[in-house]
Amino acid sequence: MLKKLRVLYVEDEEDILKFASMVLEDYVEHLYVARNGREALEILGKVPIDLVVTDILMPKMNGIELIREIKKNSNWDISVIVATAHTETNYLLECIELRVDGYILKPIDVEELLKCILRSVLVKIQASEIESKNILFNAISVFVGGKKIEIIKYLMENSNEDNIFYGSYEDIVQDVGVSKPTVVKTFKQLIDTGLLVRLKNKVYKFQPNISKYKDNQK
């Protein structure tokens, strides 16, 4: 899951920033760094960011001010983690009021940092995956019905997190209670429209390209 994230790390202490960068760049899709809140806002205005990890005490614009600016912008759906020292506990009440998504204590522990990042974005990632599957399911429902939609629903519910389904026609016949010709025809239609790709024998991958599917149905 972390490999899909675009993370912005905001820290004015160069050693901490180098350490965090060295660690995170191996785990996330893109890592951006800033040395104060103003630099962070400039980056946020240019590139899409999923998660911000920010220090509190920084020059020019501190972490609290940065978080306030992030929360003000309704177009940004960004998780925020605060990196804080024990001596900065008086700022935590403000962070709680601002509803930050997580806290990590300094000195930074790699394992705790990664766990905190995962906890902070897990709900959003799961919600996004569920929404994409629901959109795909609803789009297909417009064009097919009856036993076919039951087969498609079965495929989606039994696919892994990478949208890959492992199984045979016989499995679906038995579990869904449909005829084999119906299963074969449904698979062919899904493959023809580009929604399903056969990787190898009994291994298929969903390709949720709904716009392409709709175009093929016109």
Side-chain angles (χ1 to χ4, degrees):
M1 290 186 181
L2 298 185
K3 278 294 184 184
K4 301 177 182 178
L5 294 180
R6 292 154 297 188
V7 176
L8 171 59
Y9 202 103
V10 192
E11 171 63 64
D12 66 319
E13 293 187 36
E14 201 64 32
D15 289 343
I16 296 177
L17 192 59
K18 286 181 180 178
F19 172 74
S21 299
M22 182 179 66
V23 172
L24 290 178
E25 65 187 6
D26 290 333
Y27 287 92
V28 301
E29 181 179 9
H30 293 295
L31 177 68
Y32 303 87
V33 298
R35 288 161 180 80
N36 58 65
R38 287 186 188 173
E39 286 186 14
L41 286 178
E42 289 179 7
I43 294 172
L44 290 170
K46 296 176 182 177
V47 296
I49 297 293
D50 301 303
L51 171 77
V52 170
V53 182
T54 181
D55 184 22
I56 293 180
L57 298 181
M58 296 180 294
K60 298 183 181 180
M61 177 184 284
N62 66 35
I64 300 295
E65 294 168 327
L66 170 61
I67 296 168
R68 286 201 184 103
E69 292 300 316
I70 291 173
K71 298 296 184 180
K72 275 184 194 176
N73 195 323
S74 58
N75 294 321
W76 290 343
D77 183 19
I78 301 172
S79 299
V80 179
I81 293 174
V82 173
T84 177
H86 288 287
T87 55
E88 298 168 351
T89 52
N90 54 312
Y91 292 100
L92 290 182
L93 285 177
E94 292 185 77
C95 293
I96 292 171
E97 289 179 2
L98 290 168
R99 297 184 180 181
V100 301
D101 299 280
Y103 309 87
I104 182 75
L105 288 176
K106 295 180 179 180
I108 302 296
D109 177 273
V110 173
E111 185 176 354
E112 287 304 314
L113 175 60
L114 295 174
K115 285 181 180 178
C116 189
I117 290 174
L118 186 57
R119 285 195 301 267
S120 299
V121 299
L122 184 59
V123 173
K124 289 182 181 179
I125 291 174
Q126 290 176 333
S128 176
E129 289 177 349
I130 291 171
E131 181 181 6
S132 66
K133 283 192 174 183
N134 285 340
I135 291 172
L136 174 61
F137 183 74
N138 290 335
I140 296 172
S141 298
V142 173
F143 304 107
V144 299
K147 293 297 183 180
K148 289 182 182 179
I149 202 65
E150 291 182 26
I151 294 169
I152 296 167
K153 185 176 181 181
Y154 176 86
L155 291 175
M156 294 173 66
E157 290 177 346
N158 290 277
S159 296
N160 64 19
E161 60 183 17
D162 295 319
N163 295 321
I164 295 178
F165 172 78
Y166 297 86
S168 65
Y169 294 157
E170 287 73 20
D171 294 331
I172 301 172
V173 169
Q174 182 176 344
D175 293 341
V176 181
V178 294
S179 67
K180 186 172 180 179
T182 300
V183 175
V184 173
K185 185 176 181 179
T186 303
F187 268 69
K188 184 179 185 305
Q189 289 178 327
L190 290 173
I191 291 171
D192 288 344
T193 54
L195 279 169
L196 197 68
V197 175
R198 184 178 183 273
L199 302 181
K200 58 182 180 180
N201 187 35
K202 299 182 181 179
V203 182
Y204 299 85
K205 181 178 176 63
F206 262 111
Q207 303 279 25
N209 190 336
I210 296 168
S211 60
K212 179 180 177 181
Y213 182 85
K214 288 182 177 179
D215 291 340
N216 286 339
Q217 294 298 316
K218 292 178 181 179

